[in-house]
Amino acid sequence: MALFGKKKVPKTQPGASSGSKGKETTYLGQKLKIKGTVSGDGNVIILGRLEGSFDLKGELTIAEPASVMGEIKAGLISVKGKAEGTVVAHNKLHLEPSAKVSGTVRAKTISMLEGAQLDGEMAMSSSTGAHSKKGTAS
């Protein structure tokens, strides 16, 4: 697989939500270390390391063993690797068993599988920013 890649997400791709159909998916390779800002309307799968900020209208997947440090915003965020900083999922945050998330988390809904780690402040509401529920989960 190349370090950068784009492809159309097939309508039958497992795990694809109805909002992701037909959007381009960009892969950031495992050997990449990026500092900066990534924004756009497509979907991104991170396999490497990013320091900075994400602002996506699509879906963001932080694969294992990828790590992201900074401000992360996307419609749907799925974490299998590591995320540190502010995580804002406009629709849903999904944490796989290998996920390690620390910092401030805001999401309309959250799903967390056994083994996932969440350490920090969490706020859940329809506006992804109102009523805080402070606590720690591991």
Side-chain angles (χ1 to χ4, degrees), residues 1-10 13 23-30 32 34 43-48 54 60-61 63:
M1 176 191 298
L3 294 178
F4 287 100
K6 288 187 177 184
K7 70 176 188 175
K8 289 282 188 181
V9 177
Q13 179 176 351
K23 288 190 177 183
E24 277 188 347
T25 298
T26 300
Y27 293 82
L28 300 179
Q30 188 170 1
L32 286 180
I34 300 171
N43 303 318
V44 174
I45 298 174
I46 301 173
L47 302 167
F54 265 94
L60 173 64
T61 300

Side-chain angles (χ1 to χ4, degrees), residues 9 18 20 26 29 38 49 51 59-60 76 81 84 93 105 107 111 116 123 128-129 136:
V9 177
S18 59
S20 69
T26 300
V38 176
R49 178 176 170 85
E51 292 180 33
E59 298 179 9
L60 173 64
L76 180 132
E84 294 180 48
L93 173 65
V105 174
S111 64
T128 65
T136 325

